[in-house]
Structures are given as C-alpha cells and as structure tokens.
Amino acid sequence: MSGSAVVVGGGVAGSSAGRALRSRGLSVTVLDKGRGPGGRVSTRRSESGAFDHGAQYFTARSLPFVDAVGGWAQAGVAQRWVGQFGEVDSEGLRMLPHRNLWVGIPGMSRIVAHQLEGLDVRFGAEACGLARARRGWTVQTVSGEEFGPFDHAVVAVPAPQAAELLGTVAPAFAARASCAKFAPCWSVMAAFDGSLGLAFEGLRVRSGSGISWIARDSAKPGRAAEPPERWVLHACPDWSEATIELPPDEVCGLMMRELVGLVERFGGVAATPVHLRAHRWRYARTVAPVGSPCLHEPAMSLSVCGDWCLGSRVEEAWTSGMAAAESVLASAAG
Ligand SMILES: Cc1cc2nc3c(=O)[nH]c(=O)nc-3n(C[C@H](O)[C@H](O)[C@H](O)COP(=O)(O)OP(=O)(O)OC[C@H]3O[C@@H](n4cnc5c(N)ncnc54)[C@H](O)[C@@H]3O)c2cc1C
C-alpha cells in the first residue's frame, strides 16, 4: 500500500500506530513535542542514574498485546520484572503473589524507541494546528514549521491536547475527547547514599496521606545495580490534585517525610538523598475513558487514539494505536 501518514504524538499509542502503518507500506512521519521517545512511558537520566518516572511497568492481558510484548522481549527491549511486591493498608502489610510485570530495557522509554525505529520522527515538534485541504493534511507547529501534505492523519496525544488540536477540524471528536477525564500524579525521583534496606521492590500504599506507590527503580532488570539505590515515589490522585501548583522542591520535602515514616515502619535504614527531583504529570492516568478503541472519520482519513480511548494503561494505549492504524488502512484500501 502506498501513501503517507502523519502521526501527532509519539508515545505508546502513536508509535504503535506509526509502526503498523509503516509495516503496510505507508510513509510515516511522527511529530512529538518531547525531547525524546516515551511520552508517559518515560525514562529520565540524571548524574545518579536513570529513573522511570512515568509508567512503572506494564502487564499484558490480550493475545495481540501478549504477542507484541513477546516480540519486544525477543528484541531485548523488554523483560519480566520479578521481585517482592507488597501492599499496605490500615490493616498492615501483605506481600502480593507474583504477577507478570514487564519493564522496558534498559528503561521504560526503550519500548517506544523500539517502535519508532525506521520512522521519520521529529522531536521538539509541538503541533498547534491541523488542517485538511484538497491536497491532504498539513500540520503547523508552535515554532512556525508546516509539515505535509499527508494522505492520512493520526492524532495520538492525551485527550485535553487532542480536544484543542481537533477543535476546528473535527469538532465532534474534540467534544468526545473533552469527555475523557484524567487524574494528575506527582512523581519523585530519589537516589540515596546507602540502601534503604527494604525487603520489597515495590509497595502499593493504600493508607498513606500522599504516597500511593514506591519502587526501587535500580532493582529492575537491565538497570545499573551499583549504588546509589534509586527509588521512584508516586503520589495518589487526590493529593496530587490538591498540591499540583506547589513548587517541586516543596513536594519533594512532603513526600520524603512520608517515605521516612514508611522506611521506619518496615524496618529499613535511614539514608540521605543524593539526588531528589519531582515531576508533575498533569494528565497522568485516565479516570473516565471514552469507551471506543479509537475515533475514526473515514471521509477525512483521520484517526484519534490514546490510552484515554479505552483505559489508563500501556496495553490500552497500544491497543488504541493499533485500532487507529487498522482504521486508516481500511480507509486507504477502500
Ligand atoms: C505517573 C504514571 C504512572 C503510570 N503507571 C502505569 C503503570 O504502572 N502501568 C501502566 O500500564 N500504565 C501506567 N501509566 C499509564 C501509561 O503511561 C499510559 O497509559 C501510556 O503511556 C499512554 O500512552 P499514549 O501514547 O496514549 O500517551 P502519551 O504517553 O501521553 O503520549 C502522547 C505523546 O504526545 C506528545 N504530544 C502531546 N501534545 C502534543 C502536541 N501538541 N504536538 C506533538 N506532540 C504532542 C507527548 O509528548 C507524548 O509523547 C502511568 C502513567 C503515569 C503518568
């Protein structure tokens, strides 16, 4: 099949759509406003090592995604994360049975980088306008560049950004995107001068005031295991919402205070942070998805996808991206 497609947004959804379109012969250009691959499946490098500060791991339930993850494992870009995981609530700590958790190797963002291989990817390209003329789709960026024309367009950005981009060109899709709701999340990346001595790799905190999850990032497979020990802390949605405009340093202080309490409670060892940063995810997890695999308008050959179409996980982002690609291919064939 010949033709060209532009994919706006190169996270899991956009990269899976782009890869599927490329594999069927279309020439694909991916525009992403970020500095590198990943979107919310993100890996932040620092002088103390790398941190997965967005998605922590992913699970694979549907057969097509199980197959895709098998391919990533064969390519050496994903591996199972085997470790001790617990959950604490008002009744105490419970260790959880082993689940099939997967992570990107050497960082979460690698799975997206892998999917983008062979595509024409432009980072630092923030789309601010999308237009359809007789000659096809064109995309304008905030830096004044114009890309196109393209035969097909896939919009694969979080719903609030999709609603903005689609407002004029596809108002019905913009309205549906506006119905998807997201919760924010503060993520703190901390490296310590010694081990915290905790007996688990990940802990879901159901009784905390701010923290909802802590993970020993340096214990994931394929990471530098030598010191410093690196931890990622996530805050729960309500607390993140209430503190979203606080300066990051203040959030670090509040969440570290709560971590110290958890370390004491679970028999760990006090250690001093040698690296401490907070990242504010304004649109972290979908709380109200739109409930269709993707939005597609065959007459314009426009598809809209993202985790928010189906849910809040990596698997749902991938499934939505694949559905968008299938819809575009069906339009192209028809
Ligand atoms: C803190 C946190 C923890 C999470 N934990 C888990 C977990 O443990 N397990 C799990 O399965 N999922 C988890 N998730 C959810 C998972 O990360 C997402 O479901 C998935 O990454 C969404 O992929 P996406 O491609 O739909 O969107 P995104 O990853 O958001 O990708 C959208 C892309 O569009 C780009 N973009 C946005 N606007 C524009 C524009 N105007 N022009 C150009 N580019 C643009 C962005 O830079 C981004 O790269 C977590 C997410 C967060 C934030």
Side-chain angles (χ1 to χ4, degrees):
M1 193 173 284
S2 60
S4 60
V6 63
V7 179
V8 180
V12 172
S15 61
S16 61
R19 189 177 174 89
L21 294 173
R22 179 78 194 94
S23 74
R24 298 284 286 276
L26 269 69
S27 124
V28 176
T29 301
V30 179
L31 306 177
D32 195 289
K33 71 175 183 179
R35 275 179 293 172
R40 279 171 281 155
V41 171
S42 189
T43 304
R44 172 84 61 90
R45 278 164 191 80
S46 80
E47 68 287 356
S48 300
F51 295 87
D52 294 329
H53 64 305
Q56 297 293 287
Y57 55 79
F58 54 95
T59 49
R61 299 172 192 180
S62 68
L63 275 182
F65 191 57
V66 168
D67 272 358
V69 173
W72 296 347
Q74 265 186 349
V77 301
Q79 209 172 309
R80 282 202 170 85
W81 184 18
V82 181
Q84 298 297 322
F85 297 92
E87 182 175 60
V88 59
D89 59 19
S90 52
E91 290 176 7
L93 173 70
R94 262 186 316 281
M95 294 316 286
L96 298 172
H98 286 291
R99 288 168 64 206
N100 260 340
L101 308 184
W102 290 87
V103 293
I105 301 291
M108 284 294 281
S109 63
R110 184 72 173 92
I111 57 168
V112 173
H114 174 69
Q115 297 212 106
L116 292 173
E117 274 165 19
L119 306 184
D120 174 16
V121 187
R122 312 295 176 93
F123 291 113
E126 179 171 356
C128 58
L130 194 62
R132 170 128 190 122
R134 276 173 66 87
R135 60 200 182 105
W137 287 101
T138 54
V139 182
Q140 291 74 41
T141 66
V142 291
S143 61
E145 277 182 290
E146 180 171 288
F147 292 87
F150 302 97
D151 301 316
H152 314 280
V154 176
V155 172
V157 301
Q161 282 123 333
E164 265 178 49
L165 266 180
L166 296 166
T168 328
V169 74
F173 285 177
R176 288 196 69 189
S178 304
C179 294
K181 298 287 172 257
F182 279 76
C185 177
W186 274 109
S187 178
V188 168
M189 296 155 265
F192 295 92
D193 64 351
S195 170
L196 295 185
L198 293 171
F200 43 76
E201 274 71 48
L203 181 71
R204 183 77 52 205
V205 184
R206 303 212 182 272
S207 53
S209 53
I211 290 180
S212 63
W213 162 259
I214 62 173
R216 192 197 326 240
D217 211 59
S218 44
K220 289 179 176 176
R223 273 60 174 176
E226 64 265 17
E229 191 170 272
R230 299 182 302 284
W231 287 79
V232 170
L233 329 176
H234 282 169
C236 61
D238 289 349
W239 191 88
S240 298
E241 183 87 55
T243 58
I244 200 70
E245 300 305 340
L246 285 185
D249 286 351
E250 206 172 312
V251 169
C252 283
L254 294 169
M255 287 178 68
M256 286 304 288
R257 209 170 308 150
E258 201 178 331
L259 178 70
V260 168
L262 287 171
V263 171
E264 273 171 15
R265 183 170 168 194
F266 296 117
V269 181
T272 306
V274 292
H275 174 93
L276 197 54
R277 296 277 184 285
H279 180 85
R280 180 194 286 118
W281 293 102
R282 278 190 196 276
Y283 307 115
R285 307 296 299 261
T286 320
V287 287
V290 300
S292 343
C294 68
L295 310 178
H296 183 67
E297 170 51 78
M300 293 198 287
S301 201
L302 168 69
S303 266
V304 185
C305 59
D307 60 347
W308 53 273
C309 286
L310 286 171
S312 63
R313 298 179 303 118
V314 168
E315 177 165 10
E316 283 143 349
W318 182 89
T319 304
S320 178
M322 294 302 283
E326 284 308 320
S327 304
V328 166
L329 290 166
S331 297

